[in-house]
Amino acid sequence: MELKSYRLFRYTLPLKQPFTTHAGALNEREGIIVELQDNDGRFGFGEGVAFAIPFYTSETVESSWILLQKTLLPLLFAKKVNHPTEVPQLFAGIVGNQMAKAAVEGAVWDLYAKQQGKSLASCIGGTRTKAKAGGVISLSDDLEQTIEMIRSQGFERAKLKVTKYNERRAIELVKEIDLKLPLMIDGNGMYSEKDISLLAELDSLNLQMIEQPFLPGDFVLHHRLQQQMKTPICLDETVESFSDAWQALELGACRTINIKIGRVGGLTEAIRIHDLCHQAGLAVWCGGMVETGISKAHNLALASLPGFSIPGDLSGSDRYFERDLLIEPLRVEQGSIQIPDGPGIGVDVDVEFLHYVSSEVLEGK
């Protein structure tokens, strides 16, 4: 792969309404877009999905911004890369910083697929043409309005953000509005060992799953809870690599994994985790990061793989923003999103608008 130059965009997009979890409210989305150009004028795009403050992982927009320009992109341009799967090894000497690494690898994958004249989904062996979509209900959402949106667009499940000790009431309120809506809750790591019995009592509510109840790294607590519940435990923040996923399966710490490209360091690692789970008979799903349509297009390519049989956090790119970074937004239709079949990630980026919403733009080669 011949690379000519790169551009880094540091953007900020206001949300239509706050997205709230127990960790706080997100009123705007700050993030990073990586653009790579080849000698034939083709462009590849990747997105850095770290948040402005480190409430989800230790990475931030600022730390990613510095690492991208000072280390990762110089490494990429210092050595010839023949295939995107070589990028993780190129960055192997850099500890952590999964989201910054994933942003670069995502741009490489997009550009590579365009150079091949194929969709990204087909390049990674995807078999699905549509991805099942799930809606997220944040703590600040109007419950009735959000559930109505979920029903009207045909979402196949809802993920409910909860606060500790108010879980049962929150679940019951959703069921009062729609008893048949498949429902899961997301703990975002706010529980501890003393809460195991509290969580086990939710087994009677027929939840689709409980996502990440304990802190990242708490394989033992997740294992103990899973042993006490029929409800599947899903791991999110705990799994930042193939090794984490392997340990989780070996320990019986979960029955499904939410795979996020940014969290695990890129598409190559995400595919490896999918393959591991698929061979073990565990269905997986694709999580979201309140990201733009660029990242969502990458997620859709990943979700084309056969093991992604559980509806993911794959809302349309118009879900959170009045105006997204795509010229034509990705949309949910009858509970699914069409997986783009054009070259690369298969969507057109509104580069003019990206410039407009970016506080910094850096170029290099």
Side-chain angles (χ1 to χ4, degrees), residues 29-44:
R29 185 57 161 114
E30 184 181 353
I32 298 170
I33 301 299
V34 178
E35 176 198 86
L36 298 178
Q37 183 178 6
D38 68 8
N39 291 320
D40 294 320
R42 288 175 290 237
F43 295 90

Side-chain angles (χ1 to χ4, degrees), residues 114-128:
K114 287 171 179 171
Q115 291 173 345
Q116 302 303 307
K118 298 179 179 179
S119 70
L120 178 55
S122 66
C123 282
I124 65 173
T127 58
R128 301 179 189 275

Side-chain angles (χ1 to χ4, degrees), residues 79-358:
K79 185 176 181 181
K80 182 178 175 63
V81 172
N82 295 306
H83 193 275
T85 54
E86 298 173 13
V87 175
Q89 186 58 40
L90 191 63
F91 296 159
I94 308 299
V95 176
N97 294 281
Q98 305 292 62
M99 295 176 180
K101 293 176 180 177
V104 177
E105 193 194 322
V108 174
W109 270 109
D110 184 26
L111 184 59
Y112 171 80
K114 287 171 179 171
Q115 291 173 345
Q116 302 303 307
K118 298 179 179 179
S119 70
L120 178 55
S122 66
C123 282
I124 65 173
T127 58
R128 301 179 189 275
T129 58
K130 293 182 179 181
K132 296 178 180 179
V136 180
I137 306 172
S138 90
L139 296 175
S140 54
D141 286 345
D142 181 290
L143 196 57
E144 291 194 2
Q145 288 183 4
T146 304
I147 291 176
E148 178 55 36
M149 179 275 295
I150 288 171
R151 288 190 297 203
S152 66
Q153 295 191 22
F155 284 106
E156 297 200 21
R157 68 105 172 106
K159 180 166 81 172
L160 180 66
K161 298 290 186 179
V162 294
T163 55
K164 192 186 292 191
Y165 309 128
N166 194 45
E167 309 87 356
R168 180 174 290 272
R169 182 54 183 155
I171 294 165
E172 290 172 346
L173 285 172
V174 173
K175 291 182 176 292
E176 287 173 10
I177 297 171
D178 190 337
L179 183 61
K180 296 182 179 180
L181 180 66
L183 184 65
M184 59 175 286
I185 63 170
D186 187 359
N188 283 124
M190 67 179 165
Y191 297 97
S192 62
E193 184 176 9
K194 65 182 177 61
D195 300 313
I196 287 180
S197 60
L198 169 71
L199 291 165
E201 290 174 359
L202 302 178
D203 216 9
S204 62
L205 297 178
N206 297 316
L207 295 171
Q208 190 181 49
M209 69 183 77
I210 297 176
E211 183 182 4
Q212 193 66 43
F214 306 111
L215 289 171
D218 279 345
F219 289 97
V220 172
L221 292 184
H222 284 106
H223 164 77
R224 287 180 183 174
L225 180 60
Q226 187 64 91
Q227 293 298 107
Q228 296 185 35
M229 299 189 75
K230 295 179 180 178
T231 303
I233 301 303
C234 171
L235 294 183
D236 180 359
E237 292 96 324
T238 292
V239 178
E240 293 190 354
S241 66
F242 175 89
S243 176
D244 289 340
W246 178 82
Q247 290 183 70
L249 268 60
E250 287 292 304
L251 293 171
C254 64
R255 291 183 188 152
T256 185
I257 293 176
N258 164 0
I259 303 178
K260 294 179 180 176
I261 296 172
R263 195 192 68 235
V264 302
L267 185 58
T268 301
E269 193 79 344
I271 294 169
R272 292 183 68 213
I273 294 170
H274 160 273
D275 293 348
L276 172 72
C277 294
H278 195 46
Q279 292 166 9
L282 265 72
V284 295
W285 55 285
C286 185
M289 291 287 291
V290 194
E291 67 268 85
T292 78
I294 294 172
S295 185
K296 288 181 183 293
H298 282 274
N299 292 346
L300 287 169
L302 176 65
S304 71
L305 295 174
F308 285 89
S309 57
I310 301 173
D313 292 343
L314 297 171
S315 57
S317 59
D318 56 353
R319 167 72 170 92
Y320 297 112
F321 311 113
E322 291 290 352
R323 183 174 177 180
D324 185 43
L325 298 181
L326 303 184
I327 292 176
E328 291 293 333
L330 298 161
R331 290 193 171 92
V332 177
E333 295 180 356
Q334 298 180 335
S336 299
I337 305 180
Q338 190 76 30
I339 295 171
D341 58 5
I345 56 175
V347 294
D348 294 319
V349 178
D350 191 338
V351 178
E352 182 178 349
F353 183 60
L354 175 57
H355 270 279
Y356 176 73
V357 297
S358 294

